[in-house]
Amino acid sequence: MSLEKQIKKLNEETSALNNPELIAKQRQKGKLTARERIDILLDKDSFVELNPFAQSRFNDFGMDQKKFPGDAVVSGFGKINNRQVCVYSQDFSKIGGSLGEMHGQKIINAIKMARQTGCPMIGIIDSGGARIQEGIASLDGYAGIFREMVKASGIIPQISIILGPSAGGASYAPGLSDFIFMVEGISQMYITGPEVIKSVTGESISFNDLGGASVHALKSGCAHFISQTENECLESVKKVLDYLPQNNLENPPAKNSSGTDNLCPRLLEIVPQEEGKGYDMKEVIKEIFDPDSFFEVQAGFAPNSIAAFARLGGQTVGIAANQTKSMAGTLDVNSSDKIARFVRLCDTFNIPIINLIDTPGYLPGTDQEHKGIIRHGAKILYAYAEASVPKISLILRKAFGGAYIALASKELGYDKVIAWPSAQIGVMGPKQAVKIIFHRELENSKDPIELEKEKILELSETFLSPWQAAKLGKLDLIINPQETRSVLFKLLESMLNKRESKAPRKHGNIPL
Ligand code: HXC
C-alpha cells in the first residue's frame, strides 16, 4: 500500500473513532462525550491519545467489536495549566462504557505511565461496570486497575470524576482514589443497582436516591466535591490540582502573596467571648488565610469538622478545623474519618497542616460508642502522629480531652502549638469536671449552686487556662488573636524545610 493510501487509512480509522450515531446517543442523555470531557479538562491541543485503535478480542453474545474501536474508553496524557496529567474517559455510548479486558488494559497503561512519570492520574467514569459478555476477563480488568491504583497511591494524586453511572466494579476505582468528583443529576455510583436491590430485598429505590451526588456528598462521605454541571465539575478538578504537587517527591505549588503582616481585628468579632456560643469557623479561616484561597473538601459530610486546602503567604496548606456551628464542633465517627484521611493526603503530598481548634472533645453517647468511635477516633491519632509534614495547631477556645491530644498535643507530634488567651485546655469541660472531683463537697454544701459556680471559676482560671499550659511548656506561644495570620505564617515558614526520617518497616497498621 502506498504511503498516501496508508495515511488515508489512518485518517479514516481516526474519524471512525467519532461515530456520529454514538455521539448523538450520548448527547440524548444530556451528557458530554468522552472526548469533549477531555478537551474541556485539558489545555488546548495538549491531549495525546494512546491505544485509540485497541479493540476487544471478545465477540461472543452477538458483540461486534469492530463497531467499537478504542473499546469504550479514551486514554492518554496531556496538560492542565501546563502541568502533565494522564487521563482516561469512559465512553458510555459504546457498550455502556462497560469494562472488558482491553478497556482495562488501556486504563492500566495510563496509570502506570502516571506513576512512572510522576504526574496526576484522572479517570472520568461513565460505565455500567464489568462487561458481562467478557466474564472473568472483565473482572480481571478491574483487578489489574485496582492493583495499579494501590501501587500509585501516595506517589501521585489520583482523581475520579463520575459523569454518568459508576456501577458495580466501576465504583471501586473511585473508591481507591484520593478524590471523587460528582455532578448533581448526572452521576450515580453504587455497587449493586436498584434492580438487584429490589430482587434481593424488595426495596424500591431510584438511582439518584441510591447513589446520586448528594447521597455521596452528605451521607456516605464517598464524594469529595459536587457540582451542578459537568463544566463546573471539570473546572473544580483543575482547581484542586492547583493545590497539589505532581507527585510525592515535589512540594506543592506556591503562589505570590500580598504579605502576611496585616492584623485581623475581625477575628475578635467573629469568635464570641461567651464560651458556649457557636460561630462559623469558615469565617475565621477566610480571615486568617490568603483571600479566595479557601477550598473545602467533603464540605457536606461531617459538617462538625472542616477539611480544606488554603494558602498562607502563598504557601499551600491543609486546614483541619472544628466547626462549632455544627454539633458544637465535637469529633464523631464521620469527622474522625474525614480528618484522618485528609491528614494522610496532606502528609503524602508534602502539604503542611494547620489545625484550628475549638471543640469539647469526642462526641459522647451510646450511638457513637456502638458505631465505633474508638476505632474511628483512633484514626485521627494515628494519622497525625504518623504525619511528618509541618504540623501547627492553634487553640482558639476549647481543647478538651481526647480532642486536645489528637489535635494539639506536642507529645503526639505537633511541631508548634499556639493559643489565644481565650483558650481552655483540660481533661474535660469545667462543668463536668467540678461534678466529678467536687461531688462530695457539693453534696455536703448548704449552697451547692454557689459552690459549683466558685469551683468552675477556680478550675477555669487555674487548670484550664492557657497560662498553665504555657508554664508547662505545652504551648509555644499565647498570641493576640489579631496577630494570628502573621504568627501562623512565621511558624509555617520556619517549618517549611522540616525533615523527619522514619524507621524502616513494611507499613504501620492504621485502624480502619
Ligand atoms: C455489558 C452493558 C453493561 C455491562 C450496560 N451495558 N452495562 N453491557 N456489561 N455491565 C450496555 C446495555 O446492554 C446497553 O446496550 C448499553 O450498555 C446502554 O445501557 P442501558 O441499560 O441501555 O443504559 P441506561 O438505561 O442508561 O442504564 C445504564 C445502567 C444499566 C444503569 C448502567 O445499563 C445497568 O444497570 N447496567 C448494569 C450495571 C451493573 O449491574 N453493573 C455491575 C456489573 S458487575 P445496548 O446494546 O442496548 O446499547 C461488576 C462486578 C462487580 O461490575 C465487582 C465489584 C468489585
Side-chain angles (χ1 to χ4, degrees), residues 25 29 92 95-96 98 128-133 139 142 146 165 167-170 172 190 207:
K25 212 167 138 189
K29 288 185 179 284
F92 189 83
I95 328 170
S98 59
R131 184 171 300 152
I132 297 161
Q133 298 89 329
L139 295 178
Y142 273 122
F146 300 158
Y172 281 120
Y190 49 85
F207 282 104

Side-chain angles (χ1 to χ4, degrees), residues 428-477:
M428 61 179 72
K431 282 185 197 146
Q432 295 90 327
V434 164
K435 285 209 166 70
I436 293 172
I437 59 176
F438 296 113
H439 71 101
R440 251 181 234 102
E441 289 86 337
L442 290 172
E443 277 158 22
N444 297 332
S445 164
K446 286 193 188 113
D447 190 351
I449 293 173
E450 194 48 40
L451 180 67
E452 192 179 345
K453 265 193 208 158
E454 266 172 38
K455 291 294 180 195
I456 287 173
L457 193 67
E458 192 184 316
L459 210 65
S460 303
E461 285 179 357
T462 51
F463 284 108
L464 300 182
S465 107
W467 301 102
Q468 174 73 5
K471 262 188 222 160
L472 294 171
K474 308 290 184 193
L475 288 178
D476 292 293
L477 275 176

Side-chain angles (χ1 to χ4, degrees), residues 102-115:
M102 185 54 76
H103 183 149
Q105 194 53 53
K106 285 178 68 173
I107 294 177
I108 290 170
N109 291 349
I111 304 172
K112 255 189 201 161
M113 178 178 172
R115 174 170 56 79

